[in-house]
């Protein structure tokens, strides 16, 4: 193991201690698990990768409507407002 030192806000430290206690883990073990989760998932996706994913997703879904570019606000409002 390699010893390291980090700085947390008071709120982060309290939340971390509560979570560790509720899971019956040490704070160090909880931090190690968090680091493993981040490193396994690849961490933050860089801009170019996000761009490639967005381009790949474009046009892959269909609403069946042909006037989305004109009436997008209307359709959006209908989707979030409760039905009467």
């Amino acid at each position: 193991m390699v010893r390291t030192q980090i700085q947390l806000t008071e709120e982060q430290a309290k939340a971390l201690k509560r979570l560790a206690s509720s899971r019956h883990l040490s704070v160090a073990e909880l931090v190690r698990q968090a680091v493993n989760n981040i490193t396994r998932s690849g961490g933050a996706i860089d801009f170019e990768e996000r761009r490639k994913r967005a381009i790949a997703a474009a046009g892959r879904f269909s609403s069946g409507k042909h006037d989305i570019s004109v009436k997008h606000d209307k359709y959006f409002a209908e989707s979030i407002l409760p039905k009467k």
Side-chain angles (χ1 to χ4, degrees):
M1 296 258 179
V2 175
R3 182 177 288 271
T4 189
Q5 185 175 0
I6 61 170
Q7 292 181 312
L8 303 171
T9 65
E10 287 289 326
E11 295 81 22
Q12 289 171 326
K14 287 177 185 176
L16 195 56
K17 286 177 185 177
R18 280 193 304 270
L19 186 58
S21 177
S22 72
R23 294 185 181 186
H24 306 290
L25 298 171
S26 67
V27 169
E29 179 58 26
L30 195 60
V31 170
R32 283 191 291 271
Q33 289 179 6
V35 169
N36 284 340
N37 288 338
I38 290 170
T39 56
R40 285 186 190 134
S41 70
I45 301 169
D46 70 350
F47 176 78
E48 189 58 32
E49 180 62 22
R50 283 186 301 192
R51 183 179 163 280
K52 287 178 186 176
R53 290 181 184 186
I55 290 170
R60 295 187 74 186
F61 306 95
S62 175
S63 67
K65 299 183 188 298
H66 302 287
D67 57 355
I68 294 281
S69 65
V70 176
K71 296 184 178 179
H72 52 81
D73 291 340
K74 174 185 178 283
Y75 292 129
F76 176 69
E78 288 173 356
S79 74
I80 63 169
L81 295 175
K83 304 276 188 235
K84 291 185 180 181

